């Protein structure tokens, strides 16, 4: 079974940084588009970043481009999201996911995702 387990969320002040991790099992990263989406309370899912293969250029949402960086350790089947210069608008539950599409439609083709990890950014 495909499993994804997120960790690394927490409370951080505006301007700070967090590094999220996602431990994946049951598949290899080249079988799916993989990445991160987030959901703030009362709002729809928002794709954050994704990649189709280990050698491709990641996609980033406009709202996070230049601040967030996605990376992976393929040998460990682990995905990371380095989040810098956080602001209160980044507050959300962050999920890693496997999907059929990478890009602006990432959240429309989700196949598996984890339980999420909460990121709260204070003023």
């Amino acid at each position: 079974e495909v499993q994804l387990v997120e960790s690394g969320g927490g409370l951080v002040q505006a301007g700070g940084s967090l590094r999220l991790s996602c431990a994946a099992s049951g598949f290899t990263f080249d079988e799916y588009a993989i990445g991160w989406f987030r959901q703030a309370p009362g709002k729809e899912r928002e794709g954050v970043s994704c990649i189709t293969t280990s050698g491709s250029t990641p996609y980033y949402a406009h709202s996070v481009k230049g601040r967030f960086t996605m990376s992976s350790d393929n040998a460990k089947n682990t995905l990371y999201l380095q989040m810098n210069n956080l602001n209160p608008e980044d507050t959300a539950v962050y999920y890693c996911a496997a999907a059929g599409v990478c890009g602006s439609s990432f959240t429309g083709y989700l196949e598996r995702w984890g339980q999420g990890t909460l990121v709260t950014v204070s003023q």
Side-chain angles (χ1 to χ4, degrees):
E1 291 290 331
V2 173
Q3 293 186 335
L4 302 116
V5 181
E6 303 92 337
S7 62
L11 176 64
V12 65
Q13 287 188 293
S17 299
L18 284 173
R19 183 178 176 89
L20 307 183
S21 298
C22 172
S25 62
F27 70 103
T28 55
F29 286 170
D30 61 353
E31 294 180 89
Y32 297 91
I34 54 170
W36 298 86
F37 69 90
R38 64 188 182 185
Q39 188 166 27
K43 297 187 177 181
E44 295 184 352
R45 294 169 175 170
E46 178 188 16
V48 174
S49 182
C50 58
I51 193 166
T52 54
T53 68
S54 60
S56 64
T57 301
Y59 163 85
Y60 294 97
H62 177 73
S63 59
V64 307
K65 194 169 186 177
R67 300 188 298 120
F68 291 10
T69 303
M70 188 175 68
S71 62
S72 64
D73 184 338
N74 291 352
K76 295 182 178 180
N77 241 28
T78 301
L79 188 68
Y80 304 96
L81 184 67
Q82 178 66 47
M83 306 186 295
N84 298 326
N85 195 25
L86 287 160
N87 59 66
E89 289 71 43
D90 296 315
T91 296
V93 178
Y94 285 71
Y95 302 84
C96 64
V101 169
C102 177
S104 60
S105 298
F106 180 63
T107 58
Y109 294 88
L110 299 173
E111 297 191 23
R112 296 285 194 279
W113 57 91
Q115 83 288 347
T117 186
L118 177 63
V119 172
T120 303
V121 184
S122 63
Q123 191 66 36

